[in-house]
Amino acid sequence: MQRYLAGAVALVICPVPAMAGLEICNDTGVSQSVSVGYKQGEDWVSEGWWTIAPGACAEPVGGALTNRYYYYRATAAGQDFRGDGYMFCTQGEAYTIVGDTDCAARGYEAADFAVIDTGETAVSYSYRMEAPAAVKESVAKGKSAQGAVAAPAGAQPAAEATVLRSGLGRGVHGEPFTDRLIFQGCDFYDGFEACTFIANGWKYFAGYDDPTPRAFLARLEALPNNTPMQVTGDLTSHGDSTAQLAVSEIEILGADAYSGLRSAMQGNWVSAADPNETLYIQGAEMHSYYKAGYMDTMYLDVKADCPDSAGAGPVLIQTSAQHRDSYCYLIDNLAGGWMDLILMGHEARVSYRKAE
């Protein structure tokens, strides 16, 4: 995921051998006041301020590092600092504050911090702040992001956010993977927090910090279901109908030729032949019921055609999550509150009306 730092301060990873601790150096050409945040036991702690002159360094965290992720805020006269949405408590005077919640109620100010990834095994690390501002890539944080990580609901991604990169390398966590998937949203699944995607009869899960960075996936949360995406990363594991992904890059493709059809399918449907048969379609997932009893979940693909359609289309391909059977239906009509489908290979017609 790419993000720009406002003002003239950017963090550039530059590992420099050191005895121990976290060192921050100032190559911006102006004096910077730096504050840091980190996990200490079960608590989040923030400390400040270190005044770092141009060309100088400071060591806000001494001793062998015990965390992978640290957070920082740098301020300078006439410059604004934009972090990654990781809020800590601060104040104008020198401080050490335990806890990152209820800042105002405790007489502090909540401020936005950016992340520092020291690596999995580092006991010391050195970072340099440089000017002018440059693009940096977000990494897994270990702390829930707050603030402007995601766009408002319904908003279109900005041009520079069309391609999002997580910072994960390919081939590190499993078999390299790339495919065009349909975004299915982000939620909790049996206590597992993840963003999901559907395509070709499979449902893919990218778990928060497992290992896809939380802040990277948070950028997707405001996007509508059914958004087409080119997803690149590693396939870490798979079951009968689902798979786990470590995502390194997502290209948000925007509307395609079938976006209108996918949108028209959303909601509750009742069979014209048997009112006991109902469907609920959310995104690219369809749940079927009979007399209100759950029957099956189908993963949906809308494509130009299928082998049984002999070139006719567009078609709706339904793949059972339980039984893995796939069915190809010609979309004969999807308008006026009706969905009329023809099962290819059998020429059987099924019709559903949109439920009120």
Side-chain angles (χ1 to χ4, degrees):
M1 176 179 70
Q2 295 182 327
R3 187 183 297 276
Y4 294 88
L5 293 181
V9 180
L11 188 65
V12 177
I13 297 177
C14 181
V16 174
M19 293 300 294
L22 174 66
E23 179 185 60
I24 297 178
C25 297
N26 179 11
D27 292 343
T28 68
V30 296
S31 182
Q32 300 285 339
S33 293
V34 173
S35 183
V36 296
Y38 52 89
K39 194 72 176 287
Q40 186 176 74
E42 297 300 316
D43 298 314
W44 290 105
V45 175
S46 51
E47 292 187 280
W49 298 87
W50 285 261
T51 299
I52 309 178
C57 300
E59 190 180 76
V61 180
L65 300 181
T66 57
N67 301 322
R68 173 173 179 172
Y69 304 109
Y70 292 83
Y71 308 83
Y72 81 103
R73 180 174 178 81
T75 63
Q79 296 179 359
D80 293 324
F81 178 83
R82 180 179 298 167
D84 294 323
Y86 296 87
M87 310 304 289
F88 286 88
C89 299
T90 67
Q91 66 179 20
E93 303 172 352
Y95 69 91
T96 298
I97 300 172
V98 177
D100 63 340
T101 59
D102 300 322
C103 298
R106 295 191 290 153
Y108 305 125
E109 177 183 354
D112 191 7
F113 281 57
V115 68
I116 298 171
D117 180 6
T118 66
E120 294 185 359
T121 60
V123 294
S124 63
Y125 225 75
S126 179
Y127 281 79
R128 309 195 78 88
M129 297 183 294
E130 295 184 351
V135 174
K136 76 179 183 70
E137 291 188 353
S138 283
V139 291
K141 312 296 193 293
K143 172 178 168 65
S144 296
Q146 305 165 37
V149 215
Q156 293 297 317
E160 63 269 19
T162 300
V163 177
L164 308 177
R165 297 183 177 89
S166 71
L168 293 183
R170 294 197 66 196
V172 176
H173 301 281
E175 178 185 350
F177 171 93
T178 184
D179 203 353
R180 185 183 181 280
L181 310 180
I182 299 298
F183 179 57
Q184 187 63 21
C186 304
D187 209 336
F188 282 91
Y189 303 88
D190 295 326
F192 174 65
E193 191 176 9
C195 292
T196 58
F197 316 84
I198 290 176
N200 304 313
W202 285 82
K203 186 171 185 177
Y204 298 90
F205 290 79
Y208 282 53
D209 293 329
D210 188 34
T212 309
R214 173 176 297 271
F216 171 78
L217 293 175
R219 292 288 300 275
L220 307 180
E221 290 173 358
L223 293 175
N225 286 6
N226 281 323
T227 299
M229 299 176 172
Q230 186 76 16
V231 180
T232 300
D234 292 346
L235 185 67
T236 62
S237 65
H238 63 84
D240 293 334
S241 63
T242 62
Q244 304 283 340
L245 292 178
V247 180
S248 58
E249 179 179 295
I250 285 178
E251 180 181 1
I252 300 172
L253 302 176
D256 61 17
Y258 308 115
S259 293
L261 291 174
R262 288 194 299 268
S263 178
M265 290 178 187
Q266 303 302 297
N268 292 288
W269 299 87
V270 179
S271 169
D274 185 350
N276 291 310
E277 180 189 351
T278 58
L279 308 174
Y280 174 61
I281 298 178
Q282 182 183 37
E285 201 167 53
M286 181 178 79
H287 306 284
S288 61
Y289 302 86
Y290 193 79
K291 292 184 178 180
Y294 170 77
M295 299 294 291
D296 201 356
T297 294
M298 312 291 283
Y299 300 142
L300 308 180
D301 290 285
V302 180
K303 296 188 175 182
D305 56 23
C306 68
D308 288 336
S309 71
V315 299
L316 174 65
I317 301 174
Q318 304 178 5
T319 303
S320 168
Q322 297 184 46
H323 310 294
R324 306 305 295 148
D325 299 322
S326 289
Y327 305 91
C328 177
Y329 292 87
L330 176 69
I331 301 174
D332 190 48
N333 172 62
L334 190 52
W338 285 91
M339 179 167 60
D340 300 311
L341 307 173
I342 299 174
L343 179 60
M344 294 289 90
H346 301 272
E347 310 309 318
R349 184 184 183 89
V350 292
S351 296
Y352 298 88
R353 59 175 174 81
K354 197 73 171 283
E356 298 294 334

